[in-house]
mmCIF file of all heavy atoms in Angstrom:
data_model
loop_
_atom_site.group_PDB
_atom_site.id
_atom_site.type_symbol
_atom_site.label_atom_id
_atom_site.label_comp_id
_atom_site.label_asym_id
_atom_site.label_seq_id
_atom_site.Cartn_x
_atom_site.Cartn_y
_atom_site.Cartn_z
ATOM 1 N N MET A 1 -40.889 -35.053 25.275
ATOM 2 C CA MET A 1 -40.072 -33.974 25.837
ATOM 3 C C MET A 1 -40.287 -32.701 25.040
ATOM 4 O O MET A 1 -40.406 -32.743 23.826
ATOM 5 C CB MET A 1 -38.591 -34.359 25.791
ATOM 6 C CG MET A 1 -38.219 -35.384 26.834
ATOM 7 S SD MET A 1 -36.451 -35.607 26.968
ATOM 8 C CE MET A 1 -36.139 -36.518 25.476
ATOM 9 N N PRO A 2 -40.327 -31.582 25.723
ATOM 10 C CA PRO A 2 -40.536 -30.314 25.024
ATOM 11 C C PRO A 2 -39.312 -29.882 24.226
ATOM 12 O O PRO A 2 -38.181 -30.217 24.565
ATOM 13 C CB PRO A 2 -40.818 -29.324 26.153
ATOM 14 C CG PRO A 2 -40.207 -29.923 27.372
ATOM 15 C CD PRO A 2 -40.249 -31.412 27.171
ATOM 16 N N THR A 3 -39.597 -29.137 23.195
ATOM 17 C CA THR A 3 -38.529 -28.588 22.380
ATOM 18 C C THR A 3 -38.371 -27.109 22.701
ATOM 19 O O THR A 3 -39.341 -26.371 22.757
ATOM 20 C CB THR A 3 -38.863 -28.749 20.886
ATOM 21 O OG1 THR A 3 -39.069 -30.123 20.613
ATOM 22 C CG2 THR A 3 -37.729 -28.232 20.019
ATOM 23 N N TYR A 4 -37.158 -26.685 22.905
ATOM 24 C CA TYR A 4 -36.880 -25.288 23.210
ATOM 25 C C TYR A 4 -36.117 -24.661 22.054
ATOM 26 O O TYR A 4 -35.249 -25.299 21.469
ATOM 27 C CB TYR A 4 -36.047 -25.171 24.480
ATOM 28 C CG TYR A 4 -36.746 -25.734 25.694
ATOM 29 C CD1 TYR A 4 -36.508 -27.031 26.105
ATOM 30 C CD2 TYR A 4 -37.659 -24.961 26.401
ATOM 31 C CE1 TYR A 4 -37.156 -27.563 27.210
ATOM 32 C CE2 TYR A 4 -38.312 -25.474 27.506
ATOM 33 C CZ TYR A 4 -38.055 -26.782 27.905
ATOM 34 O OH TYR A 4 -38.710 -27.296 28.996
ATOM 35 N N SER A 5 -36.475 -23.446 21.750
ATOM 36 C CA SER A 5 -35.774 -22.710 20.709
ATOM 37 C C SER A 5 -34.819 -21.707 21.346
ATOM 38 O O SER A 5 -35.165 -21.044 22.310
ATOM 39 C CB SER A 5 -36.773 -21.966 19.827
ATOM 40 O OG SER A 5 -37.640 -22.873 19.202
ATOM 41 N N TYR A 6 -33.648 -21.613 20.756
ATOM 42 C CA TYR A 6 -32.642 -20.689 21.269
ATOM 43 C C TYR A 6 -32.053 -19.886 20.130
ATOM 44 O O TYR A 6 -32.065 -20.308 18.975
ATOM 45 C CB TYR A 6 -31.500 -21.456 21.955
ATOM 46 C CG TYR A 6 -31.921 -22.239 23.162
ATOM 47 C CD1 TYR A 6 -32.275 -23.576 23.043
ATOM 48 C CD2 TYR A 6 -31.959 -21.656 24.417
ATOM 49 C CE1 TYR A 6 -32.661 -24.317 24.148
ATOM 50 C CE2 TYR A 6 -32.345 -22.377 25.529
ATOM 51 C CZ TYR A 6 -32.694 -23.712 25.394
ATOM 52 O OH TYR A 6 -33.071 -24.432 26.483
ATOM 53 N N GLN A 7 -31.530 -18.733 20.513
ATOM 54 C CA GLN A 7 -30.780 -17.949 19.547
ATOM 55 C C GLN A 7 -29.486 -17.498 20.190
ATOM 56 O O GLN A 7 -29.456 -17.019 21.325
ATOM 57 C CB GLN A 7 -31.579 -16.725 19.089
ATOM 58 C CG GLN A 7 -30.819 -15.942 18.009
ATOM 59 C CD GLN A 7 -31.710 -14.949 17.307
ATOM 60 O OE1 GLN A 7 -32.750 -14.553 17.805
ATOM 61 N NE2 GLN A 7 -31.304 -14.535 16.125
ATOM 62 N N CYS A 8 -28.420 -17.650 19.453
ATOM 63 C CA CYS A 8 -27.105 -17.259 19.935
ATOM 64 C C CYS A 8 -26.964 -15.739 19.860
ATOM 65 O O CYS A 8 -27.244 -15.135 18.827
ATOM 66 C CB CYS A 8 -26.032 -17.944 19.092
ATOM 67 S SG CYS A 8 -24.366 -17.442 19.537
ATOM 68 N N ASP A 9 -26.529 -15.133 20.959
ATOM 69 C CA ASP A 9 -26.326 -13.690 20.962
ATOM 70 C C ASP A 9 -25.083 -13.284 20.187
ATOM 71 O O ASP A 9 -24.920 -12.154 19.778
ATOM 72 C CB ASP A 9 -26.174 -13.190 22.401
ATOM 73 C CG ASP A 9 -27.500 -12.726 22.967
ATOM 74 O OD1 ASP A 9 -28.472 -12.638 22.197
ATOM 75 O OD2 ASP A 9 -27.564 -12.459 24.166
ATOM 76 N N LYS A 10 -24.186 -14.207 20.035
ATOM 77 C CA LYS A 10 -22.907 -13.873 19.429
ATOM 78 C C LYS A 10 -22.964 -13.915 17.907
ATOM 79 O O LYS A 10 -22.568 -12.976 17.234
ATOM 80 C CB LYS A 10 -21.842 -14.836 19.954
ATOM 81 C CG LYS A 10 -20.430 -14.391 19.659
ATOM 82 C CD LYS A 10 -19.457 -15.306 20.378
ATOM 83 C CE LYS A 10 -18.014 -14.929 20.010
ATOM 84 N NZ LYS A 10 -17.056 -15.877 20.616
ATOM 85 N N CYS A 11 -23.469 -15.023 17.372
ATOM 86 C CA CYS A 11 -23.465 -15.165 15.915
ATOM 87 C C CYS A 11 -24.869 -15.152 15.321
ATOM 88 O O CYS A 11 -25.025 -15.145 14.113
ATOM 89 C CB CYS A 11 -22.720 -16.450 15.512
ATOM 90 S SG CYS A 11 -23.613 -17.958 15.890
ATOM 91 N N GLY A 12 -25.890 -15.161 16.175
ATOM 92 C CA GLY A 12 -27.251 -15.090 15.684
ATOM 93 C C GLY A 12 -27.840 -16.404 15.231
ATOM 94 O O GLY A 12 -28.962 -16.442 14.735
ATOM 95 N N LYS A 13 -27.107 -17.469 15.422
ATOM 96 C CA LYS A 13 -27.583 -18.781 15.021
ATOM 97 C C LYS A 13 -28.807 -19.186 15.838
ATOM 98 O O LYS A 13 -28.823 -19.054 17.058
ATOM 99 C CB LYS A 13 -26.456 -19.804 15.227
ATOM 100 C CG LYS A 13 -26.863 -21.236 15.081
ATOM 101 C CD LYS A 13 -27.023 -21.646 13.655
ATOM 102 C CE LYS A 13 -27.321 -23.139 13.554
ATOM 103 N NZ LYS A 13 -27.564 -23.541 12.153
ATOM 104 N N ARG A 14 -29.827 -19.669 15.129
ATOM 105 C CA ARG A 14 -30.997 -20.173 15.826
ATOM 106 C C ARG A 14 -30.980 -21.686 15.792
ATOM 107 O O ARG A 14 -30.680 -22.286 14.763
ATOM 108 C CB ARG A 14 -32.273 -19.683 15.149
ATOM 109 C CG ARG A 14 -32.658 -18.306 15.593
ATOM 110 C CD ARG A 14 -34.126 -18.066 15.310
ATOM 111 N NE ARG A 14 -34.501 -16.725 15.754
ATOM 112 C CZ ARG A 14 -35.750 -16.302 15.803
ATOM 113 N NH1 ARG A 14 -36.732 -17.084 15.406
ATOM 114 N NH2 ARG A 14 -36.025 -15.096 16.219
ATOM 115 N N PHE A 15 -31.333 -22.281 16.904
ATOM 116 C CA PHE A 15 -31.352 -23.733 16.962
ATOM 117 C C PHE A 15 -32.351 -24.183 18.013
ATOM 118 O O PHE A 15 -32.822 -23.397 18.828
ATOM 119 C CB PHE A 15 -29.955 -24.283 17.264
ATOM 120 C CG PHE A 15 -29.358 -23.775 18.549
ATOM 121 C CD1 PHE A 15 -29.439 -24.548 19.695
ATOM 122 C CD2 PHE A 15 -28.720 -22.548 18.592
ATOM 123 C CE1 PHE A 15 -28.884 -24.097 20.885
ATOM 124 C CE2 PHE A 15 -28.161 -22.081 19.782
ATOM 125 C CZ PHE A 15 -28.241 -22.864 20.928
ATOM 126 N N THR A 16 -32.698 -25.442 17.940
ATOM 127 C CA THR A 16 -33.636 -25.988 18.910
ATOM 128 C C THR A 16 -33.000 -27.166 19.633
ATOM 129 O O THR A 16 -32.115 -27.844 19.106
ATOM 130 C CB THR A 16 -34.930 -26.462 18.231
ATOM 131 O OG1 THR A 16 -34.609 -27.423 17.237
ATOM 132 C CG2 THR A 16 -35.672 -25.313 17.579
ATOM 133 N N ARG A 17 -33.452 -27.374 20.831
ATOM 134 C CA ARG A 17 -32.986 -28.509 21.614
ATOM 135 C C ARG A 17 -34.182 -29.184 22.253
ATOM 136 O O ARG A 17 -35.118 -28.530 22.687
ATOM 137 C CB ARG A 17 -32.031 -28.060 22.710
ATOM 138 C CG ARG A 17 -30.649 -27.730 22.193
ATOM 139 C CD ARG A 17 -29.815 -27.191 23.301
ATOM 140 N NE ARG A 17 -29.698 -28.127 24.406
ATOM 141 C CZ ARG A 17 -28.609 -28.871 24.644
ATOM 142 N NH1 ARG A 17 -27.565 -28.753 23.891
ATOM 143 N NH2 ARG A 17 -28.574 -29.705 25.641
ATOM 144 N N VAL A 18 -34.114 -30.493 22.314
ATOM 145 C CA VAL A 18 -35.132 -31.248 23.022
ATOM 146 C C VAL A 18 -34.554 -31.621 24.382
ATOM 147 O O VAL A 18 -33.508 -32.256 24.471
ATOM 148 C CB VAL A 18 -35.516 -32.512 22.238
ATOM 149 C CG1 VAL A 18 -36.562 -33.316 23.011
ATOM 150 C CG2 VAL A 18 -36.059 -32.131 20.867
ATOM 151 N N GLU A 19 -35.221 -31.169 25.419
ATOM 152 C CA GLU A 19 -34.702 -31.401 26.759
ATOM 153 C C GLU A 19 -35.821 -31.868 27.678
ATOM 154 O O GLU A 19 -36.937 -31.365 27.598
ATOM 155 C CB GLU A 19 -34.156 -30.095 27.351
ATOM 156 C CG GLU A 19 -33.021 -29.492 26.576
ATOM 157 C CD GLU A 19 -32.658 -28.131 27.161
ATOM 158 O OE1 GLU A 19 -33.158 -27.778 28.230
ATOM 159 O OE2 GLU A 19 -31.876 -27.440 26.519
ATOM 160 N N PRO A 20 -35.508 -32.759 28.571
ATOM 161 C CA PRO A 20 -36.485 -33.069 29.620
ATOM 162 C C PRO A 20 -36.648 -31.856 30.519
ATOM 163 O O PRO A 20 -35.699 -31.101 30.740
ATOM 164 C CB PRO A 20 -35.847 -34.246 30.377
ATOM 165 C CG PRO A 20 -34.397 -34.202 30.027
ATOM 166 C CD PRO A 20 -34.296 -33.539 28.686
ATOM 167 N N ILE A 21 -37.855 -31.649 31.027
ATOM 168 C CA ILE A 21 -38.121 -30.474 31.850
ATOM 169 C C ILE A 21 -37.181 -30.424 33.048
ATOM 170 O O ILE A 21 -36.720 -29.363 33.440
ATOM 171 C CB ILE A 21 -39.596 -30.486 32.319
ATOM 172 C CG1 ILE A 21 -40.507 -30.248 31.117
ATOM 173 C CG2 ILE A 21 -39.849 -29.438 33.395
ATOM 174 C CD1 ILE A 21 -41.979 -30.416 31.420
ATOM 175 N N ALA A 22 -36.850 -31.564 33.586
ATOM 176 C CA ALA A 22 -36.004 -31.612 34.781
ATOM 177 C C ALA A 22 -34.634 -30.997 34.549
ATOM 178 O O ALA A 22 -34.035 -30.429 35.454
ATOM 179 C CB ALA A 22 -35.860 -33.056 35.245
ATOM 180 N N SER A 23 -34.124 -31.117 33.345
ATOM 181 C CA SER A 23 -32.776 -30.606 33.101
ATOM 182 C C SER A 23 -32.787 -29.239 32.451
ATOM 183 O O SER A 23 -31.748 -28.601 32.321
ATOM 184 C CB SER A 23 -31.983 -31.583 32.227
ATOM 185 O OG SER A 23 -32.435 -31.534 30.901
ATOM 186 N N HIS A 24 -33.966 -28.761 32.058
ATOM 187 C CA HIS A 24 -34.033 -27.471 31.401
ATOM 188 C C HIS A 24 -33.628 -26.366 32.364
ATOM 189 O O HIS A 24 -34.121 -26.280 33.482
ATOM 190 C CB HIS A 24 -35.436 -27.214 30.867
ATOM 191 C CG HIS A 24 -35.595 -25.844 30.277
ATOM 192 N ND1 HIS A 24 -34.875 -25.428 29.191
ATOM 193 C CD2 HIS A 24 -36.348 -24.800 30.648
ATOM 194 C CE1 HIS A 24 -35.215 -24.178 28.908
ATOM 195 N NE2 HIS A 24 -36.100 -23.767 29.784
ATOM 196 N N GLY A 25 -32.725 -25.515 31.916
ATOM 197 C CA GLY A 25 -32.301 -24.396 32.726
ATOM 198 C C GLY A 25 -31.230 -24.740 33.747
ATOM 199 O O GLY A 25 -30.732 -23.881 34.440
ATOM 200 N N ARG A 26 -30.874 -25.988 33.822
ATOM 201 C CA ARG A 26 -29.894 -26.392 34.824
ATOM 202 C C ARG A 26 -28.476 -26.414 34.268
ATOM 203 O O ARG A 26 -27.514 -26.471 35.000
ATOM 204 C CB ARG A 26 -30.226 -27.786 35.359
ATOM 205 C CG ARG A 26 -31.400 -27.749 36.317
ATOM 206 C CD ARG A 26 -31.761 -29.163 36.728
ATOM 207 N NE ARG A 26 -32.728 -29.148 37.834
ATOM 208 C CZ ARG A 26 -32.359 -29.205 39.111
ATOM 209 N NH1 ARG A 26 -31.090 -29.292 39.447
ATOM 210 N NH2 ARG A 26 -33.276 -29.193 40.053
ATOM 211 N N ARG A 27 -28.382 -26.449 32.970
ATOM 212 C CA ARG A 27 -27.035 -26.451 32.410
ATOM 213 C C ARG A 27 -26.959 -25.413 31.307
ATOM 214 O O ARG A 27 -27.970 -25.043 30.723
ATOM 215 C CB ARG A 27 -26.679 -27.834 31.872
ATOM 216 C CG ARG A 27 -27.713 -28.382 30.906
ATOM 217 C CD ARG A 27 -27.357 -29.772 30.437
ATOM 218 N NE ARG A 27 -28.537 -30.477 29.947
ATOM 219 C CZ ARG A 27 -28.491 -31.671 29.412
ATOM 220 N NH1 ARG A 27 -27.354 -32.287 29.299
ATOM 221 N NH2 ARG A 27 -29.590 -32.256 28.999
ATOM 222 N N LYS A 28 -25.771 -24.970 31.035
ATOM 223 C CA LYS A 28 -25.607 -23.945 30.023
ATOM 224 C C LYS A 28 -25.747 -24.538 28.640
ATOM 225 O O LYS A 28 -25.246 -25.622 28.357
ATOM 226 C CB LYS A 28 -24.236 -23.306 30.172
ATOM 227 C CG LYS A 28 -24.168 -22.433 31.416
ATOM 228 C CD LYS A 28 -23.084 -21.397 31.276
ATOM 229 C CE LYS A 28 -23.197 -20.379 32.400
ATOM 230 N NZ LYS A 28 -22.160 -19.352 32.277
ATOM 231 N N ILE A 29 -26.425 -23.777 27.814
ATOM 232 C CA ILE A 29 -26.594 -24.180 26.434
ATOM 233 C C ILE A 29 -25.486 -23.526 25.615
ATOM 234 O O ILE A 29 -25.237 -22.334 25.741
ATOM 235 C CB ILE A 29 -27.970 -23.710 25.908
ATOM 236 C CG1 ILE A 29 -29.095 -24.193 26.823
ATOM 237 C CG2 ILE A 29 -28.180 -24.181 24.482
ATOM 238 C CD1 ILE A 29 -29.192 -25.691 26.934
ATOM 239 N N ALA A 30 -24.851 -24.311 24.807
ATOM 240 C CA ALA A 30 -23.803 -23.759 23.953
ATOM 241 C C ALA A 30 -24.270 -23.743 22.509
ATOM 242 O O ALA A 30 -24.934 -24.661 22.035
ATOM 243 C CB ALA A 30 -22.529 -24.595 24.079
ATOM 244 N N CYS A 31 -23.924 -22.668 21.820
ATOM 245 C CA CYS A 31 -24.258 -22.555 20.407
ATOM 246 C C CYS A 31 -23.553 -23.644 19.607
ATOM 247 O O CYS A 31 -22.355 -23.861 19.770
ATOM 248 C CB CYS A 31 -23.820 -21.176 19.926
ATOM 249 S SG CYS A 31 -23.963 -20.956 18.155
ATOM 250 N N PRO A 32 -24.289 -24.336 18.749
ATOM 251 C CA PRO A 32 -23.666 -25.403 17.952
ATOM 252 C C PRO A 32 -22.739 -24.864 16.877
ATOM 253 O O PRO A 32 -21.937 -25.614 16.313
ATOM 254 C CB PRO A 32 -24.870 -26.133 17.339
ATOM 255 C CG PRO A 32 -25.952 -25.114 17.296
ATOM 256 C CD PRO A 32 -25.720 -24.222 18.502
ATOM 257 N N LYS A 33 -22.840 -23.598 16.592
ATOM 258 C CA LYS A 33 -22.019 -23.025 15.526
ATOM 259 C C LYS A 33 -20.715 -22.440 16.063
ATOM 260 O O LYS A 33 -19.645 -22.721 15.548
ATOM 261 C CB LYS A 33 -22.827 -21.950 14.796
ATOM 262 C CG LYS A 33 -22.115 -21.405 13.570
ATOM 263 C CD LYS A 33 -23.019 -20.408 12.853
ATOM 264 C CE LYS A 33 -22.278 -19.780 11.690
ATOM 265 N NZ LYS A 33 -23.102 -18.750 11.042
ATOM 266 N N CYS A 34 -20.821 -21.612 17.103
ATOM 267 C CA CYS A 34 -19.624 -20.923 17.583
ATOM 268 C C CYS A 34 -19.260 -21.301 19.014
ATOM 269 O O CYS A 34 -18.288 -20.796 19.550
ATOM 270 C CB CYS A 34 -19.808 -19.415 17.455
ATOM 271 S SG CYS A 34 -20.969 -18.734 18.650
ATOM 272 N N ALA A 35 -20.072 -22.174 19.617
ATOM 273 C CA ALA A 35 -19.796 -22.691 20.961
ATOM 274 C C ALA A 35 -19.910 -21.635 22.055
ATOM 275 O O ALA A 35 -19.489 -21.855 23.176
ATOM 276 C CB ALA A 35 -18.432 -23.386 21.023
ATOM 277 N N SER A 36 -20.487 -20.488 21.730
ATOM 278 C CA SER A 36 -20.714 -19.477 22.753
ATOM 279 C C SER A 36 -21.830 -19.920 23.695
ATOM 280 O O SER A 36 -22.782 -20.566 23.281
ATOM 281 C CB SER A 36 -21.093 -18.162 22.082
ATOM 282 O OG SER A 36 -21.535 -17.238 23.065
ATOM 283 N N THR A 37 -21.707 -19.546 24.949
ATOM 284 C CA THR A 37 -22.790 -19.841 25.891
ATOM 285 C C THR A 37 -23.694 -18.628 26.080
ATOM 286 O O THR A 37 -24.576 -18.639 26.920
ATOM 287 C CB THR A 37 -22.218 -20.274 27.261
ATOM 288 O OG1 THR A 37 -21.283 -19.315 27.706
ATOM 289 C CG2 THR A 37 -21.560 -21.631 27.144
ATOM 290 N N ARG A 38 -23.454 -17.591 25.295
ATOM 291 C CA ARG A 38 -24.352 -16.438 25.336
ATOM 292 C C ARG A 38 -25.544 -16.706 24.434
ATOM 293 O O ARG A 38 -25.676 -16.177 23.337
ATOM 294 C CB ARG A 38 -23.606 -15.183 24.891
ATOM 295 C CG ARG A 38 -22.531 -14.789 25.889
ATOM 296 C CD ARG A 38 -21.962 -13.448 25.531
ATOM 297 N NE ARG A 38 -23.000 -12.414 25.526
ATOM 298 C CZ ARG A 38 -22.773 -11.137 25.259
ATOM 299 N NH1 ARG A 38 -21.560 -10.738 24.961
ATOM 300 N NH2 ARG A 38 -23.736 -10.275 25.266
ATOM 301 N N VAL A 39 -26.388 -17.569 24.922
ATOM 302 C CA VAL A 39 -27.531 -18.039 24.162
ATOM 303 C C VAL A 39 -28.790 -17.701 24.928
ATOM 304 O O VAL A 39 -28.849 -17.856 26.139
ATOM 305 C CB VAL A 39 -27.408 -19.569 23.969
ATOM 306 C CG1 VAL A 39 -28.708 -20.168 23.478
ATOM 307 C CG2 VAL A 39 -26.279 -19.884 23.002
ATOM 308 N N ARG A 40 -29.779 -17.201 24.222
ATOM 309 C CA ARG A 40 -31.025 -16.908 24.919
ATOM 310 C C ARG A 40 -32.163 -17.715 24.315
ATOM 311 O O ARG A 40 -32.131 -18.090 23.148
ATOM 312 C CB ARG A 40 -31.333 -15.420 24.883
ATOM 313 C CG ARG A 40 -31.448 -14.856 23.494
ATOM 314 C CD ARG A 40 -31.302 -13.327 23.577
ATOM 315 N NE ARG A 40 -30.924 -12.782 22.267
ATOM 316 C CZ ARG A 40 -31.761 -12.073 21.512
ATOM 317 N NH1 ARG A 40 -32.983 -11.843 21.893
ATOM 318 N NH2 ARG A 40 -31.355 -11.598 20.358
ATOM 319 N N GLN A 41 -33.149 -17.935 25.129
ATOM 320 C CA GLN A 41 -34.262 -18.761 24.687
ATOM 321 C C GLN A 41 -35.251 -17.932 23.897
ATOM 322 O O GLN A 41 -35.542 -16.786 24.235
ATOM 323 C CB GLN A 41 -34.959 -19.380 25.901
ATOM 324 C CG GLN A 41 -35.970 -20.424 25.496
ATOM 325 C CD GLN A 41 -36.486 -21.199 26.700
ATOM 326 O OE1 GLN A 41 -36.061 -20.988 27.820
ATOM 327 N NE2 GLN A 41 -37.412 -22.091 26.454
ATOM 328 N N VAL A 42 -35.755 -18.521 22.844
ATOM 329 C CA VAL A 42 -36.777 -17.880 22.028
ATOM 330 C C VAL A 42 -38.093 -18.584 22.335
ATOM 331 O O VAL A 42 -38.244 -19.770 22.103
ATOM 332 C CB VAL A 42 -36.443 -18.014 20.526
ATOM 333 C CG1 VAL A 42 -37.513 -17.333 19.688
ATOM 334 C CG2 VAL A 42 -35.075 -17.406 20.233
ATOM 335 N N PHE A 43 -39.024 -17.829 22.899
ATOM 336 C CA PHE A 43 -40.240 -18.464 23.390
ATOM 337 C C PHE A 43 -41.306 -18.618 22.319
ATOM 338 O O PHE A 43 -42.048 -19.568 22.306
ATOM 339 C CB PHE A 43 -40.802 -17.676 24.562
ATOM 340 C CG PHE A 43 -40.007 -17.876 25.812
ATOM 341 C CD1 PHE A 43 -39.052 -16.955 26.197
ATOM 342 C CD2 PHE A 43 -40.200 -19.018 26.580
ATOM 343 C CE1 PHE A 43 -38.308 -17.150 27.361
ATOM 344 C CE2 PHE A 43 -39.465 -19.226 27.724
ATOM 345 C CZ PHE A 43 -38.517 -18.286 28.117
ATOM 346 N N HIS A 44 -41.382 -17.642 21.418
ATOM 347 C CA HIS A 44 -42.461 -17.702 20.438
ATOM 348 C C HIS A 44 -41.920 -17.495 19.036
ATOM 349 O O HIS A 44 -41.998 -16.402 18.496
ATOM 350 C CB HIS A 44 -43.517 -16.638 20.741
ATOM 351 C CG HIS A 44 -44.208 -16.874 22.048
ATOM 352 N ND1 HIS A 44 -45.048 -17.942 22.262
ATOM 353 C CD2 HIS A 44 -44.165 -16.192 23.212
ATOM 354 C CE1 HIS A 44 -45.492 -17.888 23.511
ATOM 355 N NE2 HIS A 44 -44.966 -16.852 24.103
ATOM 356 N N PRO A 45 -41.360 -18.532 18.484
ATOM 357 C CA PRO A 45 -40.754 -18.387 17.153
ATOM 358 C C PRO A 45 -41.757 -17.988 16.083
ATOM 359 O O PRO A 45 -41.397 -17.401 15.081
ATOM 360 C CB PRO A 45 -40.168 -19.775 16.876
ATOM 361 C CG PRO A 45 -40.873 -20.695 17.821
ATOM 362 C CD PRO A 45 -41.228 -19.871 19.027
ATOM 363 N N PHE A 46 -43.036 -18.247 16.324
ATOM 364 C CA PHE A 46 -44.038 -17.906 15.319
ATOM 365 C C PHE A 46 -44.399 -16.425 15.348
ATOM 366 O O PHE A 46 -45.073 -15.915 14.484
ATOM 367 C CB PHE A 46 -45.293 -18.753 15.497
ATOM 368 C CG PHE A 46 -45.035 -20.204 15.222
ATOM 369 C CD1 PHE A 46 -44.999 -21.116 16.260
ATOM 370 C CD2 PHE A 46 -44.799 -20.640 13.928
ATOM 371 C CE1 PHE A 46 -44.745 -22.454 16.021
ATOM 372 C CE2 PHE A 46 -44.543 -21.973 13.679
ATOM 373 C CZ PHE A 46 -44.509 -22.881 14.723
ATOM 374 N N PHE A 47 -43.959 -15.748 16.397
ATOM 375 C CA PHE A 47 -44.227 -14.323 16.505
ATOM 376 C C PHE A 47 -42.935 -13.519 16.423
ATOM 377 O O PHE A 47 -42.760 -12.530 17.076
ATOM 378 C CB PHE A 47 -44.957 -14.025 17.819
ATOM 379 C CG PHE A 47 -46.282 -14.717 17.905
ATOM 380 C CD1 PHE A 47 -46.476 -15.758 18.791
ATOM 381 C CD2 PHE A 47 -47.327 -14.330 17.078
ATOM 382 C CE1 PHE A 47 -47.698 -16.411 18.872
ATOM 383 C CE2 PHE A 47 -48.550 -14.972 17.151
ATOM 384 C CZ PHE A 47 -48.730 -16.017 18.044
ATOM 385 N N ALA A 48 -42.036 -14.030 15.618
ATOM 386 C CA ALA A 48 -40.714 -13.418 15.520
ATOM 387 C C ALA A 48 -40.785 -11.974 15.032
ATOM 388 O O ALA A 48 -39.893 -11.184 15.280
ATOM 389 C CB ALA A 48 -39.835 -14.225 14.592
ATOM 390 N N LYS A 49 -41.864 -11.626 14.350
ATOM 391 C CA LYS A 49 -42.012 -10.275 13.835
ATOM 392 C C LYS A 49 -42.016 -9.228 14.943
ATOM 393 O O LYS A 49 -41.593 -8.116 14.758
ATOM 394 C CB LYS A 49 -43.345 -10.148 13.078
ATOM 395 C CG LYS A 49 -43.291 -10.722 11.681
ATOM 396 C CD LYS A 49 -44.615 -10.429 10.990
ATOM 397 C CE LYS A 49 -45.108 -11.643 10.236
ATOM 398 N NZ LYS A 49 -46.517 -11.497 9.843
ATOM 399 N N THR A 50 -42.559 -9.631 16.092
ATOM 400 C CA THR A 50 -42.732 -8.666 17.168
ATOM 401 C C THR A 50 -41.494 -8.567 18.057
ATOM 402 O O THR A 50 -41.448 -7.722 18.916
ATOM 403 C CB THR A 50 -43.932 -9.053 18.044
ATOM 404 O OG1 THR A 50 -43.654 -10.312 18.648
ATOM 405 C CG2 THR A 50 -45.190 -9.143 17.224
ATOM 406 N N SER A 51 -40.526 -9.436 17.852
ATOM 407 C CA SER A 51 -39.349 -9.383 18.705
ATOM 408 C C SER A 51 -38.484 -8.179 18.355
ATOM 409 O O SER A 51 -38.319 -7.837 17.204
ATOM 410 C CB SER A 51 -38.554 -10.678 18.588
ATOM 411 O OG SER A 51 -37.979 -10.777 17.326
ATOM 412 N N LYS A 52 -37.940 -7.585 19.392
ATOM 413 C CA LYS A 52 -37.118 -6.410 19.178
ATOM 414 C C LYS A 52 -35.678 -6.807 18.926
ATOM 415 O O LYS A 52 -35.189 -7.773 19.494
ATOM 416 C CB LYS A 52 -37.171 -5.518 20.407
ATOM 417 C CG LYS A 52 -38.529 -4.937 20.666
ATOM 418 C CD LYS A 52 -38.475 -4.112 21.935
ATOM 419 C CE LYS A 52 -39.859 -3.790 22.447
ATOM 420 N NZ LYS A 52 -39.812 -3.269 23.800
ATOM 421 N N LYS A 53 -35.055 -6.006 18.152
ATOM 422 C CA LYS A 53 -33.612 -6.180 17.988
ATOM 423 C C LYS A 53 -32.899 -5.217 18.908
ATOM 424 O O LYS A 53 -33.170 -4.028 18.894
ATOM 425 C CB LYS A 53 -33.210 -5.895 16.539
ATOM 426 C CG LYS A 53 -33.254 -7.132 15.673
ATOM 427 C CD LYS A 53 -32.392 -6.932 14.447
ATOM 428 C CE LYS A 53 -32.146 -8.259 13.743
ATOM 429 N NZ LYS A 53 -31.305 -8.055 12.559
ATOM 430 N N SER A 54 -32.033 -5.729 19.720
ATOM 431 C CA SER A 54 -31.357 -4.862 20.665
ATOM 432 C C SER A 54 -29.931 -4.600 20.221
ATOM 433 O O SER A 54 -29.349 -5.391 19.543
ATOM 434 C CB SER A 54 -31.369 -5.492 22.063
ATOM 435 O OG SER A 54 -30.768 -6.737 22.016
HETATM 436 ZN ZN1 LIG B 101 -23.165 -18.754 18.007
#
């Protein structure tokens, strides 16, 4: 199963989840630290330098 990286918009916590492709994107991901569902997927953690801070 693929591993997806996420970052919480609220507290900035980064975490990964292993999900089957069938269920990916079908349910809300909650931050393990603050339980916020304002979480976005991080596609290229190895290129974090190029990501913009908004
Ligand atoms: Zn959080």
Side-chain angles (χ1 to χ4, degrees):
M1 285 190 286
T3 302
Y4 299 95
S5 299
Y6 297 93
Q7 183 166 20
C8 176
D9 266 351
K10 194 172 176 185
C11 72
K13 170 77 175 176
R14 277 200 180 190
F15 58 98
T16 57
R17 284 175 59 103
V18 179
E19 299 174 9
I21 291 172
S23 74
H24 175 62
R26 285 175 170 267
R27 53 182 158 176
K28 289 203 170 181
I29 306 299
C31 172
K33 187 176 176 184
C34 72
S36 170
T37 52
R38 293 189 59 179
V39 167
R40 58 198 160 109
Q41 190 170 358
V42 180
F43 286 98
H44 295 292
F46 294 108
F47 299 110
K49 281 185 224 166
T50 63
S51 69
K52 295 178 194 167
K53 270 201 166 180
S54 58

